[in-house]
């Protein structure tokens, strides 16, 4: 039986996790990423990363989206490139996104109904805003609270991760 050819859109941690999960079932032929620093790099097992537009010249069965931040934008990007929506799979990240949203909603309900802190002047914040999709959810659920957003706007320098490795 021939394995299906797959492209993973998202060459960060989620994309690598997805790769590990599907590598024995599918033939992953490429990664895509909008981060120019990742484009041209080998991500795992000699699989190279390309800019999204390069997908139009590839032979594949489907594309997995592997970035919980911005996956709707990535999907639109692929559709704008002429990729059939039936070839775009979002299930790997959708569960993560829905779980985050459910947690946020439940947290907001608990905090907004807590009489001990209801009238306190507390605020909410997000660190790592990316393009603000989740910030909109936070604002919607904590509409009576001041929202602070923190981001590097360029990502972290690789040296910042040395101690982590």
């Amino acid at each position: 039986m021939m394995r299906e050819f797959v492209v993973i859109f998202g060459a960060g941690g989620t994309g690598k996790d997805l790769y590990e999960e599907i590598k024995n079932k599918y033939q992953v032929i490429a990664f895509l990423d909008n981060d120019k620093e990742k484009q041209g790099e080998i991500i795992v097992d000699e699989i190279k990363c390309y800019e999204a537009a390069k997908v139009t010249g590839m032979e594949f069965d489907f594309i997995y989206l592997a970035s919980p931040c911005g996956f709707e934008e990535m999907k639109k990007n692929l559709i704008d490139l002429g990729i059939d929506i039936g070839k775009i799979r979002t299930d790997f990240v959708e569960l993560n996104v829905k779980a985050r949203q459910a947690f946020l909603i439940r947290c907001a309900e608990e905090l907004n109904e807590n009489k001990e802190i209801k009238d306190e002047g507390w605020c909410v914040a997000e660190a790592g805003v990316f393009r603000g999709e989740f910030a909109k959810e936070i604002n919607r659920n904590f509409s009576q609270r001041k929202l602070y957003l923190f981001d590097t706007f360029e990502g972290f320098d690789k040296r910042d991760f040395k101690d982590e490795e």
Side-chain angles (χ1 to χ4, degrees):
M1 183 173 102
M2 226 164 110
R3 294 195 299 175
E4 293 176 292
F5 293 114
V6 174
V7 174
I8 297 175
F9 194 165
T14 304
K16 291 174 188 174
D17 290 345
L18 172 61
Y19 172 76
E20 289 300 321
E21 189 170 310
I22 68 172
K23 70 181 181 181
N24 294 322
K25 184 176 180 183
Y26 301 111
Q27 178 66 47
V28 178
I29 59 169
F31 282 87
L32 305 175
D33 207 284
N34 292 327
D35 182 347
K36 293 190 185 313
E37 287 191 25
K38 292 178 183 164
Q39 296 166 6
E41 296 292 316
I42 300 296
I43 304 304
V44 292
D45 294 340
E46 302 301 313
I47 303 171
K48 199 171 181 180
C49 181
Y50 302 90
E51 66 177 294
K54 297 285 185 194
V55 75
T56 59
M58 296 178 187
E59 298 267 341
F60 61 89
D61 293 297
F62 57 90
I63 300 171
Y64 261 115
L65 300 188
S67 178
C69 298
F71 84 95
E72 288 293 343
E73 183 180 329
M74 293 162 63
K75 184 175 165 182
K76 182 185 179 320
N77 185 2
L78 293 170
I79 293 168
D80 289 348
L81 289 169
I83 304 301
D84 180 348
I85 194 166
K87 289 189 168 206
I88 302 170
R89 299 211 174 150
T90 61
D91 50 306
F92 190 76
V93 291
E94 274 185 316
L95 182 59
N96 182 336
V97 170
K98 287 178 182 175
R100 269 182 96 194
Q101 289 172 335
F103 173 80
L104 178 68
I105 290 166
R106 185 71 185 121
C107 181
E109 288 170 355
E110 288 286 324
L111 291 171
N112 289 329
E113 292 172 9
N114 185 325
K115 300 211 184 307
E116 291 179 21
I117 65 169
K118 189 173 184 178
D119 296 327
E120 299 284 326
W122 55 274
C123 306
V124 291
E126 181 180 27
V129 178
F130 192 55
R131 297 207 170 122
E133 287 180 34
F134 201 66
K136 291 176 194 172
E137 294 294 321
I138 295 169
N139 195 50
R140 190 175 2 265
N141 285 280
F142 290 98
S143 59
Q144 303 303 313
R145 301 290 168 197
K146 191 177 284 190
L147 172 60
Y148 292 97
L149 305 173
F150 301 92
D151 203 286
T152 64
F153 296 99
E154 296 178 1
F156 292 103
D157 188 288
K158 290 178 182 173
R159 295 172 291 185
D160 294 330
F161 295 102
K162 270 191 175 170
D163 291 338
E164 300 293 324
E165 293 172 0

